[in-house]
Amino acid sequence: MTGETSVDARTPDEIDELARRARDGDREAMELLLGAVRPRALNVCRGVLPHTPDAEDACQEALLNIANKIGSWGGRGRFTTWMHVVAVNSARTTYRRMKNQAVASDVLPLEKPDPRTTSVIAGTRLDLLEAMESIERDHPQFVEPLLLRDVYGMSYEEIAEQVGAPLGTVKAQIHHGRKLARPLLRAGD
């Protein structure tokens, strides 16, 4: 891989260009793109799944989804914003799969949450994921904007662009999502 721009040195414009080329079928661009965004995707997955092997599994799933679904990136906004959503969704899917496997085998964690991996919003990241699962059953439109804003700190404008909704709608969805999440996160108090 000599002669390539290092991952950290790629500008957002360079990543967008790689994504356009990859979307258009350039296999080399796809390989370079996946290498360039892997650290960011892994960080996103770690935000949901603090156990490194779980985050790495989710990251691998995210990279596969990016490669398979790159045609759905419209090219209007930054590729990394689109990629962020793909990674969040992959991490949530990995969490659901792990939860279902644990329930099926009657393996549930008995240890107390590690304060180093405790969410600011919830008692633990698992509390937050459980709350999002609960909200998603009846109000799926609130979950993605809420996670992107309150967990990942994306701007309202970036979220609106990503989900394809007016800014005011996104703000309202986040507000209502927070109202629904508060009692679920306090249930353990």
Side-chain angles (χ1 to χ4, degrees):
M1 294 183 87
T2 57
E4 293 176 14
T5 306
S6 78
V7 172
D8 294 328
R10 292 205 188 273
T11 67
D13 288 338
E14 290 171 329
I15 290 174
D16 288 352
E17 181 55 32
L18 280 175
R20 281 186 196 88
R21 289 179 29 215
R23 186 184 59 199
D24 293 341
D26 183 332
R27 298 184 92 161
E28 182 181 353
M30 177 64 76
E31 291 299 318
L32 293 171
L33 176 66
L34 293 175
V37 299
R38 185 185 185 286
R40 186 181 296 226
L42 182 57
N43 283 337
V44 169
C45 293
R46 278 187 184 131
V48 176
L49 301 163
H51 186 61
T52 299
D54 298 339
E56 288 172 350
D57 287 347
C59 179
Q60 188 63 34
E61 182 178 324
L63 295 175
L64 286 170
N65 286 333
I66 289 166
N68 291 328
K69 298 177 181 181
I70 195 164
S72 68
W73 174 57
R76 292 172 303 160
R78 288 283 181 204
F79 176 79
T80 52
T81 302
W82 179 84
M83 181 238 46
H84 197 105
V85 173
V86 172
V88 167
N89 289 336
S90 296
R92 291 180 66 221
T93 298
T94 299
Y95 167 76
R96 282 187 203 113
R97 185 175 54 248
M98 290 171 26
K99 177 182 167 191
N100 290 339
Q101 288 170 347
V103 169
S105 64
D106 288 333
V107 176
L108 296 174
L110 298 175
E111 60 192 56
K112 290 186 176 185
D114 182 344
R116 294 171 298 173
T117 61
T118 299
S119 168
V120 174
I121 299 171
T124 69
R125 291 178 189 186
L126 296 179
D127 292 345
L128 178 62
L129 289 173
E130 290 295 328
M132 293 301 105
E133 293 287 314
S134 179
I135 293 169
E136 190 167 42
R137 283 191 284 274
D138 296 324
H139 307 285
Q141 72 276 19
F142 300 147
V143 174
E144 185 177 3
L146 182 61
L147 284 173
L148 293 175
R149 179 67 186 156
D150 287 355
V151 176
Y152 294 100
M154 291 176 71
S155 72
Y156 291 109
E157 293 79 11
E158 287 176 310
I159 297 167
E161 183 177 320
Q162 181 59 44
V163 301
L167 183 60
T169 299
V170 166
K171 287 181 177 182
Q173 288 173 331
I174 292 168
H175 174 74
H176 291 298
R178 286 173 178 159
K179 278 181 150 179
L180 293 169
R182 278 187 200 106
L184 296 172
L185 296 174
R186 291 185 186 143
D189 289 351

